[in-house]
């Protein structure tokens, strides 16, 4: 399937391995990515906090660009925070025709216009709803046998439920569990799996921010997880990049590898760890990968 | 709901979290099966268990119609009003068909399902001076204010003080001193009130407090928890917006600087530049900001993470020093949007709680809606976006 692809900023900045691994995984899943390289940042909620109309207009511009991609079935993103920020703006734009017309008037100079009803799915949702778990299972070349994976969803992709289309028919707040299972891994449930990584307040209250990251990593460790997987690069920043600092705040060694969702999928589909950028994480994923053979192994200590 | 009224009573099993701090015993789980019609509430089930099986079950309730806010609990791990949760819905969300009932979080348990609202929730509410600090001289009779200026605060006035948002607040979980969602929503009730005389003082107080408006982690837990649609997190964002945009309050928590740095980096590059966001958040937007003492201090404290990231090739020096940009023509368009929208005299803000949805699903041709005349939405709720009250004062 062809999608208008919004990679986000951080996947091209501090977590380049995310953008790279998505590009590797997409062809294996028959996803054609048409990158929205003209679109700007979603604002991650901060621009909406600064000026709601500005955030809505910038995102309406992105939506309009996505709608202009010929043959694209929908828009796809690889960032929970992008999903949440875009869904919030889309909710307002779709709910009120007068407001939408007002926002579109600002875009008219570029010849752009957003039409109500764009479908915008995070890679996780697309994986389950468009590709399907059976199809995914059939494509697995190297099942994650014995690998204990803790899902870390990220707030923006699980709340608020109504805005994100989460209901009994679409249990999107459970999809990460389903995907880990389909890839042959073991799902590890732990207290922090749907909690906040703390990243949004890293510059405002660093202690509280790192305490959140450290606690969830510790909970996952106590629940015997080999690694975590997340669909959110911002969560990845606090959980992986900042993990050495989080260890100091919670006063324990953590050493918990955190994988991006496309990396976990890619490993199971047979890609090599290096192609997926797994060598570029701050916390070495030694518990996930036996580097000599590239075969996924359970924790060496187990 | 109508069809459930016809259904006969059926068994529902409750798993109750029991705890009496005075007993010296550890908390434990208790199970009781009650018989009730599926449309009955979880509260009725708890009361039946208490009446029939164990008179010592501690639960607080009063109105039984979701208006007094007494019966806040956790049902299957999620915050809820016991009287406002149907048994059939609770059972659908339960593991193995057993409805799990616990006291609210972030507050000490007095007994079983009763938590100490006084020591946490009400203290925090008092923290925000929850009464009108009126403009002087006080008019002899009533205040006369435009109707529209009060519409803005009706969302926060819907709060019934049940504590569900406090129970679930993730910032409070790691930082118990955080003023929290209920109290900050209450703060907006007065910040947004045109009769109040202390808007700046209130906002400055809440912005400078490290556990104030900038301590919210934006996790949406309170939005989801609230049984009344108050959207506490949204109110916190509005407090931030009025504090920074209208009063230009520069706080010592980097809240204002972070917001400004973020917005200006997107204006400059179209995309976020993380390596520049941090120093600007600490030292301000000017080029010299990164040499400000707080920015240097932050850089030093982050060294362990930075060194590791460089060693692992996660961040390259070039990647850190050079921003990603969108094409020049698009950047011009983005900047033009900034100039136009930020240049407005009043911020244009749409609150769906007040405006509602103007297009019922039954209305025809959603695709053509964008071309409709502006008056099309008038049959339903007022479709006009209310300009923010703070801006019009």
């Amino acid at each position: 399937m062809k999608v208008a692809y919004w990679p986000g900023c951080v996947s091209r900045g501090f977590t380049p391995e995310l953008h790279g691994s998505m590009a590797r995984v997409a062809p294996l899943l028959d996803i054609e990515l048409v990158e929205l390289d003209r679109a700007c940042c979603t604002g991650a909620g901060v621009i909406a906090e600064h000026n709601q109309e500005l955030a809505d207009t910038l995102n309406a511009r992105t939506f309009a660009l996505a709608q202009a991609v010929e043959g694209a079935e929908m828009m796809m993103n690889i960032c929970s925070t992008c999903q949440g920020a875009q869904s919030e703006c889309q909710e307002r734009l779709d709910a009120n025709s007068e407001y939408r017309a007002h926002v579109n008037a600002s875009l008219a100079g570029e010849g752009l216009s957003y039409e109500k009803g764009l479908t915008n799915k995070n890679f996780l949702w697309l994986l389950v709803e468009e590709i399907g778990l059976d199809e995914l299972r059939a494509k697995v070349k190297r099942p994650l046998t014995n690998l204990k994976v803790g899902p870390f969803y990220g707030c923006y992709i699980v709340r608020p439920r109504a805005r994100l289309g989460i209901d009994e028919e679409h249990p999107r707040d459970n999809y990460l569990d389903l995907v880990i299972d389909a890839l042959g891994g073991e799902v590890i449930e732990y207290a922090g799996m749907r909690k906040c990584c703390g990243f949004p307040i890293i510059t405002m209250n660093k202690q509280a921010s790192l305490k959140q990251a450290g606690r969830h990593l510790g909970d996952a460790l106590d629940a015997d997880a080999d690694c975590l997987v997340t669909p959110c690069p911002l969560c990845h920043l606090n959980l992986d990049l900042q993990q050495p600092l989080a260890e100091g705040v919670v006063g324990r060694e953590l050493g918990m590898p955190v994988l991006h969702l496309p990396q976990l999928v890619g490993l199971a589909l047979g890609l090599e760890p290096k192609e997926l950028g797994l060598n570029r994480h701050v916390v070495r994923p030694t518990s996930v990968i036996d580097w000599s053979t590239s075969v996924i192994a359970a924790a060496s200590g187990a | 709901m109508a069809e459930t009224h016809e259904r006969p009573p059926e068994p529902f099993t409750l798993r109750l979290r029991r705890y009496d701090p005075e007993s010296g015993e550890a908390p434990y789980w208790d199970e009781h099966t009650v018989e009730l019609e599926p449309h009955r509430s979880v509260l009725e089930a708890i009361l039946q268990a208490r009446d029939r099986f164990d008179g010592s079950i501690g639960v607080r309730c009063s109105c039984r119609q979701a208006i007094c806010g007494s019966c806040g609990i956790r049902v299957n791990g999620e915050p809820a009003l016991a009287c406002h949760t149907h048994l059939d819905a609770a059972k659908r969300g339960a593991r193995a068909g057993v409805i799990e009932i616990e006291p609210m979080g972030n507050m000490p348990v007095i007994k079983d399902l009763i938590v100490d609202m006084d020591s946490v929730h009400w203290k925090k509410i008092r923290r925000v001076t929850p009464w009108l600090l009126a403009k002087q001289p006080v008019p002899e009779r009533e205040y006369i204010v435009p109707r529209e200026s009060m519409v803005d605060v009706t969302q926060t006035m819907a709060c019934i003080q049940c504590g569900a948002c406090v129970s679930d607040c993730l910032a409070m979980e790691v930082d118990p001193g955080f003023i929290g969602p209920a109290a900050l929503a209450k703060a907006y009730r007065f910040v947004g009130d045109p009769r109040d005389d202390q808007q700046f003082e209130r906002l400055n107080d809440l912005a400078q407090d490290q556990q104030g408006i900038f301590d919210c982690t934006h996790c949406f837990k309170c939005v989801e928890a609230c049984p009344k649609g108050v959207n506490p997190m949204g109110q916190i964002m509005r407090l931030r917006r009025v504090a920074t945009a209208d009063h230009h309050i520069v706080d010592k928590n980097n809240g204002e600087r972070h917001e400004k740095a973020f917005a200006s980096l997107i204006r400059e590059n179209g995309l976020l530049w993380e390596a520049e966001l941090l120093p600007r958040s600490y030292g301000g937007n000017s080029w010299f900001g990164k040499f400000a003492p707080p920015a240097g201090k932050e850089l030093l404290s982050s060294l362990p993470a930075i060194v590791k990231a460089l060693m692992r090739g996660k961040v390259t020096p070039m990647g850190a020093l050079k921003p990603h940009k969108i094409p020049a023509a698009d950047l011009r368009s983005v900047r033009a949007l900034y100039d136009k929208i930020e240049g407005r005299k009043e911020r244009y803000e749409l609150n769906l709680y007040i405006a509602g949805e103007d297009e019922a699903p039954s209305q025809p041709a959603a695709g053509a809606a964008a071309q409709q005349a502006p008056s099309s939405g008038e049959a339903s709720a007022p479709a006009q976006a209310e300009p923010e009250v703070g801006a019009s004062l």
Side-chain angles (χ1 to χ4, degrees):
Chain A
M1 67 183 304
K2 189 172 175 179
V3 296
Y5 170 49
W6 168 244
C9 306
V10 177
S11 74
R12 291 175 278 184
F14 272 11
T15 63
E17 68 278 0
L18 167 59
H19 188 36
S21 56
M22 188 65 237
R24 299 279 180 157
V25 166
L28 302 180
L29 295 168
D30 302 315
I31 304 172
E32 188 190 338
L33 303 174
V34 183
E35 199 174 317
L36 293 167
D37 51 7
R38 294 179 54 199
C40 71
C41 173
T42 64
V46 183
I47 292 189
E49 166 194 325
H50 168 72
N51 186 316
Q52 195 191 76
E53 186 197 349
L54 180 62
D56 289 353
T57 310
L58 294 177
N59 282 305
R61 183 177 176 274
T62 304
F63 300 157
L65 289 169
Q67 286 175 330
V69 174
E70 220 164 289
E73 288 178 46
M74 60 185 66
M75 178 165 143
M76 184 187 93
N77 65 78
I78 49 170
C79 171
S80 294
T81 302
C82 292
Q83 178 75 58
Q86 288 171 336
S87 294
E88 182 183 335
C89 295
Q90 193 184 352
E91 185 181 51
R92 283 190 287 268
L93 291 165
D94 283 1
N96 192 308
S97 60
E98 197 177 328
Y99 183 62
R100 191 165 60 250
H102 170 79
V103 167
N104 273 332
S106 299
L107 302 178
E110 275 189 281
L112 292 170
S113 177
Y114 166 60
E115 293 250 350
K116 176 186 176 171
L118 171 82
T119 303
N120 175 27
K121 290 189 181 183
N122 182 273
F123 174 54
L124 175 64
W125 299 353
L126 184 131
L127 210 47
V128 176
E129 292 169 5
E130 304 299 324
I131 292 165
L133 293 168
D134 291 335
E135 181 72 16
L136 181 63
R137 217 172 266 124
K139 286 182 188 284
V140 170
K141 290 218 172 98
R142 205 164 47 187
L144 310 177
T145 314
N146 293 332
L147 187 71
K148 296 179 189 143
V149 188
F152 193 92
Y153 283 86
C155 302
Y156 282 78
I157 207 176
V158 291
R159 287 179 292 271
R161 294 167 60 87
R163 177 188 293 162
L164 296 170
I166 301 172
D167 51 33
E168 280 172 41
E169 252 175 70
H170 304 93
R172 289 172 163 178
D173 52 350
N174 211 39
Y175 281 0
L176 217 38
D177 297 47
L178 303 180
V179 168
I180 294 167
D181 179 68
L183 299 177
E186 186 187 334
V187 179
I188 296 294
E189 293 199 358
Y190 61 103
M193 56 197 272
R194 290 186 191 83
K195 290 187 179 176
C196 176
C197 69
F199 187 73
I201 53 167
I202 190 76
T203 58
M204 274 86 95
N205 188 341
K206 200 168 181 178
Q207 280 293 108
S209 172
L210 293 174
K211 202 166 169 184
Q212 302 198 51
R215 265 196 195 180
H216 307 328
L217 291 162
D219 283 345
L221 198 63
D222 294 341
D224 230 8
D226 295 324
C227 66
L228 300 187
V229 62
T230 181
C232 182
L234 302 182
C235 294
H236 197 270
L237 289 181
N238 237 28
L239 297 173
D240 177 67
L241 181 68
Q242 303 272 22
Q243 198 175 125
L245 302 178
E247 283 180 333
V249 172
V250 294
R252 63 184 289 192
E253 266 184 55
L254 295 166
M256 176 62 65
V258 186
L259 274 64
H260 300 286
L261 176 61
Q263 288 178 323
L264 192 78
V265 174
L267 282 175
L269 297 188
L271 294 173
E272 297 307 312
K274 268 207 167 154
E275 298 180 80
L276 296 165
L278 277 162
N279 52 323
R280 299 181 79 175
H281 292 187
V282 163
V283 181
R284 288 170 194 270
T286 40
S287 61
V288 184
I289 295 143
D290 177 343
W291 291 93
S292 56
T293 58
S294 297
V295 170
I296 299 159
S300 48
Chain B
M1 229 186 294
E3 71 275 13
T4 59
H5 284 251
E6 310 298 327
R7 284 156 62 188
E10 54 182 90
F12 289 95
T13 304
L14 307 183
R15 189 162 180 258
L16 287 163
R17 181 82 165 168
R18 304 293 307 275
Y19 181 44
D20 180 0
E22 287 178 14
S23 71
E25 305 288 325
Y28 62 98
W29 293 97
D30 224 4
E31 256 186 43
H32 295 293
T33 301
V34 299
E35 290 240 346
L36 279 167
E37 291 97 333
H39 72 276
R40 298 276 181 186
S41 70
V42 168
L43 178 63
E44 285 171 284
I46 298 168
L47 294 177
Q48 194 182 92
R50 190 181 69 180
D51 291 346
R52 298 208 179 151
F53 309 117
D54 186 346
S56 74
I57 296 172
V59 59
R60 183 162 45 202
C61 65
S62 178
C63 76
R64 307 186 191 196
Q65 48 192 319
I67 194 62
C68 78
S70 302
C71 66
I73 54 165
R74 276 180 171 165
V75 180
N76 303 319
E78 304 292 338
L81 292 176
C83 73
H84 196 47
T85 309
H86 293 281
L87 279 167
D88 50 359
K91 193 172 178 176
R92 275 201 303 276
R95 276 187 193 220
V98 177
I99 302 169
E100 211 170 83
I101 313 277
E102 295 169 273
M104 290 196 288
N106 281 334
M107 289 175 273
V109 174
I110 293 176
K111 187 170 185 302
D112 300 332
L113 304 177
I114 304 167
V115 297
D116 186 356
M117 299 274 287
D118 268 337
S119 69
V120 180
H121 174 68
W122 292 111
K123 259 200 183 131
K124 289 174 187 297
I125 292 285
R126 280 195 291 274
R127 164 70 184 81
V128 302
T129 321
W131 55 82
L132 195 73
L133 296 166
K135 279 188 178 137
Q136 301 294 334
V138 177
E140 213 162 286
R141 296 187 56 182
E142 68 272 44
Y143 280 97
I144 310 287
V145 294
R147 185 193 160 276
E148 309 80 68
S149 65
M150 291 304 288
V151 167
D152 182 64
V153 292
T154 52
Q155 189 172 18
T156 62
M157 288 157 101
C159 174
I160 58 170
Q161 308 291 341
C162 67
C165 58
V166 174
S167 160
D168 251 31
C169 176
L170 292 180
M172 214 181 278
E173 198 175 89
V174 291
D175 187 7
F178 174 43
I179 294 175
L184 290 174
K186 178 61 79 185
Y188 187 75
R189 191 251 164 272
F190 296 101
V191 163
D193 191 318
R195 300 167 300 169
D196 196 88
D197 194 34
Q198 304 283 314
Q199 193 182 61
F200 170 81
E201 289 78 3
R202 288 178 185 275
L203 289 166
N204 192 46
D205 171 37
L206 297 173
Q208 302 297 350
D209 190 331
Q210 195 184 21
Q211 294 164 321
I213 50 177
F214 293 111
D215 203 19
C216 164
T217 66
H218 217 274
C219 72
F220 298 94
K221 272 277 190 179
C222 57
V223 181
E224 195 65 25
C226 180
K228 292 288 172 183
V230 169
N231 185 10
M233 190 189 100
Q235 309 307 332
I236 297 172
M237 296 308 128
R238 303 172 96 189
L239 289 169
R240 290 183 183 181
R241 202 178 298 144
V242 182
T244 56
D246 295 343
H247 293 285
H248 310 288
I249 295 169
V250 179
D251 59 287
K252 57 176 192 261
N253 305 307
N254 304 320
E256 186 266 357
R257 275 187 296 270
H258 178 71
E259 185 199 300
K260 223 179 191 176
F262 199 112
S264 58
L265 280 169
I266 308 307
R267 189 185 188 282
E268 289 163 29
N269 305 305
L271 297 171
L272 190 62
W273 183 13
E274 302 99 320
E276 185 67 12
L277 179 66
L278 281 172
R280 285 195 191 184
S281 295
Y282 284 88
N285 249 355
S286 87
W287 189 81
F288 294 101
K290 50 180 87 52
F291 303 107
K297 212 174 124 201
E298 162 56 23
L299 186 72
L300 266 182
S301 81
S302 294
L303 266 184
I306 295 170
V307 170
K308 272 218 167 140
L310 285 169
M311 271 165 48
R312 305 281 290 149
K314 180 176 185 57
V315 180
T316 59
M318 266 315 278
L321 293 172
K322 210 170 136 272
H324 290 262
K325 285 190 184 214
I326 59 173
D330 294 286
L331 199 50
R332 272 197 299 278
S333 303
V334 166
R335 288 177 186 171
L337 292 174
Y338 264 79
D339 291 342
K340 178 175 179 179
I341 294 164
E342 290 190 321
R344 290 194 203 287
K345 276 209 185 88
E346 282 186 356
R347 285 189 303 279
Y348 195 62
E349 190 175 324
L350 181 73
N351 184 347
L352 291 178
Y353 178 87
I354 291 160
E357 295 206 20
D358 68 348
E359 289 151 16
S362 59
Q363 279 184 339
Q371 269 76 48
Q372 278 173 356
S375 60
S376 64
E378 244 154 52
S380 57
Q384 247 130 358
E386 300 285 344
E388 186 151 344
V389 162
S392 58
L393 282 180

